C-alpha cells in the first residue's frame, strides 16, 4: 500500500482550503484543435466495425459503461458511429433485461483477456436468464449510464437520429434494462439497485469492498491466469487475493445460472452503491426526455416519478450527514461501509438533489479528503486520508476521467460554474499531457494504466465541444439544423451537444486484436 507520506500530507494541508470561486489551472499544453484530432484518432484506432474497445491490448472487447462514455464523445465526430456503439451493445442484451458488462469479440484470441468467454459460458449457463445464443458475453453488469448517452447522442444530431429511428429502437431496450435493475436487483427491498460483484459498480478494487469481500473465500491461485498482468504493471492492478475473490464470486454466480432471486441473503457480496444508483437516476431522467421525444407523455411521467422515488431512496438509504457524502451499504452485513470513495460524490450529478445535500457534497469534495481544486485539480477515486489510500493502484486512489466528467457535469448543473470550469480545464490539461491515460496519480498527475484510453479520449472531445473547441468536423450526414447548440442543457441535467458538424474518424480495420489506422 502506498499511503500519503507525511511530506505529502504537509504539502496538501499547506494549500489554503478553497471555498470561494477557484482559479482555473493553466490550460492544456496541446492546442485544442490538435488535442481534438489526437482524441479522435484514439477512437478511430480502437473502432472494430461496430464498437470501440477501451484499450487495444488490455481491454480488447466491448465494455458496457465504456461504450456509453465513448458514444458521448463520439457523437461530436460521427453521430452514426455513436449510435452504432450503443446499438451493438444492446444487441447483446439478455431477455431478462440485463446489459452484460462485456460483449466478447469472437476474432480476439480466448487467452487475450481473463475472464474469457470460456469462463462466463453465457450462452449455456445464462440460458434460463435469456442470454443471447449467437454471441458470448459476461453475466454481470456495469453502471447504467446508457440512457443518458443515448439522449445526448440523439441531441447532437436529432434529424439523423429520427431518420434512423435510433431512439424508437433503443427505448424499449433501455426501459427493460432499467426494469431489470429496479426489479430483480432490488435486493434491499427499498428501491435501489444492488450490485452482486465488485466489478458491477465500476470501481473494481475500491477499498469500499474490502470488508464485504473479506467474507469471500478466493478461488485457488492455480485455477486461473491473469491476462491483465501481461499488459499492466502489477503495482497498478488489483492484488492476486482480490482477483481470486472476484473469480470466486463470478463463478458462483455463473453456476447459479446467473439467478437474481430477490433476496440478498443468497449472495456473499451484495451492496447498494451511490455512484451506480446516481447514474440510474440520471438515466431515468434521460428516459423521460426520450419518452417525450417519442410522443409518450405517460411513459415520460412514469420515468420522472421513478427518478424522484430513486432519489428519495438514495438519500434515505445511503446519505451520511456526519461525513457529508453518500456511502455504500453492505446488504449482507446490514450497515453503511465506513469508507469514503468518489462514488459517494457522484450523486452531485443528480437533478433535483436537495440543495442542502448539494452544498454538503461540494464542501466534502473541496475538503481535505478529496481536495477538489488543489494539486492536480481532479478528484481522487478514494479518500486521500483513508487507511487504504494507494496513489497507483486502480480504484484505490488514482483520479479517473469519467468520474471527474460526471462531477463537472453535476457542478455545472447545480450552478457551481467557476468550479466546473476549473475542473474542465484541469481534465483537458491532463488528457493532453498524459496521452489520454486511463487514470492518474492524484498527487502528481502521472499517467497510470493504459494510454490512449477510450473514455478519456471521448470525454476530452465532449469537454472541448462544450467550449466550442472540438476541432474541424467532417460530415457523415448532411447538416442538421435541429441539432442542439453547444452548451444547451437537456432535462436530464447537462450539456446536450455541439451542433450539426460530424467529424469522421480515420478508417480502421475491423479486427479488435490489432486495429490499424488506415488513414491519418
Amino acid at each position: 500500500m502506498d499511503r500519503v507520506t507525511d511530506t505529502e500530507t504537509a504539502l496538501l494541508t499547506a494549500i489554503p482550503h478553497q471555498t470561494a470561486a477557484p482559479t482555473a489551472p493553466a490550460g492544456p499544453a496541446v492546442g485544442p484543435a490538435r488535442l481534438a484530432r489526437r482524441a479522435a484518432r484514439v477512437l478511430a484506432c480502437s473502432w472494430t466495425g461496430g464498437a470501440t474497445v477501451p484499450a487495444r491490448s488490455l481491454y480488447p472487447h466491448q465494455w458496457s459503461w465504456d461504450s456509453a462514455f465513448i458514444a458521448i464523445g463520439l457523437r461530436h465526430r460521427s453521430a452514426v458511429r455513436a449510435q452504432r456503439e450503443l446499438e451493438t451493445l444492446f444487441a447483446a442484451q439478455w431477455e431478462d433485461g440485463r446489459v452484460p458488462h462485456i460483449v466478447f469479440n469472437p476474432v480476439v484470441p480466448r487467452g487475450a483477456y481473463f475472464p474469457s468467454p470460456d469462463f462466463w459460458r453465457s450462452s449455456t449457463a445464462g440460458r434460463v436468464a435469456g442470454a443471447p445464443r449467437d454471441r458470448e458475453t459476461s453475466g454481470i453488469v456495469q453502471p447504467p449510464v446508457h440512457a443518458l448517452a443515448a439522449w445526448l447522442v440523439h441531441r447532437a444530431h436529432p434529424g439523423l437520429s429520427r431518420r434512423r429511428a435510433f431512439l424508437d429502437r433503443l427505448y424499449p431496450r433501455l426501459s427493460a434494462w432499467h426494469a431489470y435493475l429496479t426489479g430483480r436487483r432490488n435486493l434491499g427491498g427499498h428501491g435501489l439497485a444492488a450490485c452482486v460483484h465488485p466489478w458491477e459498480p465500476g470501481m473494481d478494487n475500491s477499498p469500499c469492498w474490502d470488508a464485504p469481500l473479506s467474507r469471500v473465500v478466493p478461488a485457488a491461485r492455480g485455477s486461473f491466469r491473469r491476462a491483465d498482468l501481461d499488459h499492466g504493471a502489477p503495482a497498478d492492478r488489483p492484488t492476486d487475493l482480490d482477483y481470486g475473490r472476484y473469480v470466486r464470486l463470478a463463478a458462483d454466480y455463473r453456476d447459479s445460472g446467473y439467478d437474481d432471486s430477490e433476496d440478498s441473503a443468497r449472495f456473499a457480496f451484495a451492496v447498494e452503491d451511490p455512484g451506480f444508483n446516481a447514474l440510474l437516476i440520471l438515466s431515468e431522467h434521460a428516459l423521460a426526455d426520450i419518452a417525450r421525444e417519442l410522443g409518450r407523455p405517460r411513459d415520460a411521467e412514469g420515468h420522472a416519478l421513478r427518478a424522484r422515488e430513486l432519489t428519495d431512496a438514495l438519500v434515505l438509504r445511503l446519505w451520511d450527514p456526519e461525513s457529508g457524502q453518500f456511502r455504500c451499504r453492505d446488504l449482507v452485513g446490514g450497515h453503511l461501509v465506513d469508507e469514503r470513495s468518489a462514488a459517494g460524490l457522484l450523486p452531485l450529478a443528480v437533478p433535483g438533489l436537495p440543495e442542502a445535500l448539494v452544498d454538503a457534497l461540494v464542501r466534502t469534495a473541496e475538503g481535505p479528503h478529496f481536495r477538489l481544486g488543489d494539486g492536480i485539480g481532479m478528484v481522487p477515486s478514494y479518500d486521500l486520508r483513508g487507511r487504504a489510500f494507494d496513489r497507483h493502484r486502480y480504484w484505490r486512489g488514482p483520479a479517473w476521467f469519467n468520474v471527474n466528467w460526471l462531477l463537472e457535469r453535476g457542478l455545472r448543473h447545480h450552478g457551481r460554474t467557476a468550479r466546473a470550469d476549473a475542473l474542465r480545464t484541469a481534465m483537458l490539461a491532463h488528457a493532453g499531457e498524459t496521452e489520454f491515460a486511463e487514470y492518474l496519480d492524484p498527487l502528481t498527475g502521472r499517467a497510470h494504466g493504459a494510454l490512449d484510453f477510450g473514455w478519456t479520449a471521448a470525454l476530452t472531445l465532449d469537454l472541448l465541444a462544450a467550449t466550442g473547441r472540438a476541432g474541424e468536423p467532417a460530415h457523415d450526414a448532411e447538416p442538421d439544423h435541429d441539432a442542439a447548440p453547444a452548451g444547451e442543457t437537456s432535462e436530464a441535467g447537462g450539456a446536450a451537444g455541439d451542433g450539426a458538424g460530424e467529424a469522421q474518424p480515420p478508417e480502421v480495420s475491423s479486427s479488435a486484436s490489432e486495429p490499424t489506422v488506415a488513414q491519418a
Side-chain angles (χ1 to χ4, degrees):
M1 184 184 308
D2 192 354
R3 298 177 182 271
V4 179
T5 65
D6 291 341
T7 300
E8 290 163 342
T9 301
L11 176 62
L12 285 170
T13 55
I15 301 173
H17 183 178
Q18 298 183 19
T19 55
T23 301
V30 179
R34 184 183 174 199
L35 185 62
R37 287 194 300 271
R38 284 170 46 188
R41 187 172 294 114
V42 168
L43 298 181
C45 290
S46 299
W47 178 255
T48 68
T52 308
V53 298
R56 288 182 293 171
S57 58
L58 189 54
Y59 308 105
H61 301 284
Q62 183 178 24
W63 261 257
S64 172
W65 76 326
D66 291 75
S67 276
F69 287 119
I70 286 167
I72 288 169
L74 193 55
R75 67 191 168 119
H76 302 296
R77 305 301 258 185
S78 171
V80 169
R81 286 194 178 186
Q83 291 174 26
R84 288 178 64 192
E85 186 81 37
L86 295 171
E87 290 165 349
T88 299
L89 176 67
F90 276 83
Q93 185 174 27
W94 293 24
E95 290 177 6
D96 66 3
R98 85 180 72 196
V99 177
H101 96 295
I102 300 175
V103 180
F104 290 104
N105 188 331
V107 307
V108 175
R110 293 293 174 102
Y113 182 81
F114 179 83
S116 66
D118 293 338
F119 174 88
W120 296 103
R121 302 198 291 272
S122 63
S123 60
T124 54
R127 184 171 299 169
V128 173
R133 300 290 185 89
D134 60 345
R135 68 200 72 199
E136 294 296 328
T137 75
S138 67
I140 60 174
V141 303
Q142 279 187 323
V145 69
H146 311 88
L148 173 64
W151 177 240
L152 295 180
V153 167
H154 165 80
R155 293 293 293 136
H157 208 313
L160 174 68
S161 173
R162 291 168 188 143
R163 288 191 295 277
R164 295 189 72 247
F166 170 63
L167 293 182
D168 300 78
R169 290 181 288 109
L170 205 59
Y171 174 73
R173 291 181 174 273
L174 289 166
S175 296
W177 169 219
H178 285 211
Y180 167 78
L181 293 173
T182 57
R184 299 186 66 82
R185 284 299 188 90
N186 179 19
L187 302 182
H190 295 271
L192 297 181
C195 299
V196 299
H197 193 285
W199 291 339
E200 293 197 322
M203 301 185 182
D204 303 15
N205 68 331
S206 169
C208 294
W209 316 141
D210 290 357
L213 278 176
S214 67
R215 296 187 291 263
V216 179
V217 177
R221 293 186 64 176
S223 64
F224 62 93
R225 177 184 174 276
R226 293 184 59 180
D228 62 315
L229 297 183
D230 293 341
H231 307 286
D236 290 355
R237 304 293 300 169
T239 64
D240 286 344
L241 177 60
D242 283 344
Y243 226 89
R245 287 168 168 157
Y246 304 154
V247 171
R248 171 65 67 192
L249 285 170
D252 288 349
Y253 192 37
R254 176 200 64 205
D255 293 345
S256 76
Y258 299 108
D259 177 34
D260 290 311
S261 300
E262 297 181 19
D263 177 11
S264 61
R266 63 172 294 271
F267 292 100
F269 180 98
V271 300
E272 292 172 344
D273 178 70
F276 190 102
N277 281 281
L279 290 177
L280 178 58
I281 296 168
L282 197 56
S283 279
E284 276 293 335
H285 283 287
L287 272 184
D289 287 332
I290 292 171
R292 279 187 285 268
E293 162 67 23
L294 296 176
R296 306 174 69 153
R298 293 187 64 181
D299 288 340
E301 291 173 7
H303 293 303
L305 175 61
R306 182 180 288 176
R308 291 193 297 271
E309 292 173 343
L310 285 167
T311 301
D312 290 343
L314 183 75
V315 174
L316 177 66
R317 295 279 288 170
L318 305 185
W319 176 249
D320 178 20
E322 291 187 8
S323 64
Q325 68 172 95
F326 292 85
R327 293 191 187 269
C328 304
R329 179 173 292 275
D330 180 357
L331 293 177
V332 180
H335 55 77
L336 292 178
V337 175
D338 189 20
E339 298 285 0
R340 294 177 179 265
S341 88
L345 304 178
L346 290 184
L348 186 62
V350 170
L353 195 69
E355 190 63 25
L357 271 62
V358 172
D359 291 340
L361 285 172
V362 173
R363 286 195 300 270
T364 299
E366 294 175 338
H369 297 282
F370 295 99
R371 306 300 294 187
L372 173 63
D374 294 341
I376 71 168
M378 293 172 61
V379 164
S381 53
Y382 175 69
D383 183 358
L384 290 165
R385 296 185 170 188
R387 52 128 197 127
F389 175 77
D390 186 330
R391 60 199 285 186
H392 302 146
R393 197 177 292 278
Y394 218 41
W395 290 97
R396 301 180 76 85
W400 288 74
F401 285 87
N402 64 329
V403 168
N404 281 271
W405 181 87
L406 289 164
L407 291 176
E408 189 268 354
R409 182 183 184 85
L411 289 165
R412 199 169 299 283
H413 175 75
H414 290 291
R416 273 60 172 188
T417 305
R419 177 62 76 200
D421 287 346
L423 179 53
R424 178 174 63 195
T425 299
M427 292 173 68
L428 290 173
H430 290 302
E433 292 166 358
T434 64
E435 301 291 338
F436 307 106
E438 184 179 3
Y439 48 93
L440 309 177
D441 183 319
L443 303 181
T444 67
R446 180 182 176 186
H448 286 275
L451 301 183
D452 291 338
F453 194 68
W455 73 34
T456 304
L459 297 178
T460 295
L461 285 175
D462 190 64
L463 294 172
L464 287 169
T467 66
R469 300 182 299 172
E472 288 296 325
H475 299 276
D476 59 8
E478 65 269 27
D480 186 345
H481 300 293
D482 293 328
E488 181 176 314
T489 300
S490 76
E491 294 188 35
D498 72 328
E502 303 279 352
Q504 183 75 9
E507 294 183 1
V508 298
S509 73
S510 60
S511 168
S513 55
E514 288 296 333
T516 57
V517 177
Q519 176 184 342

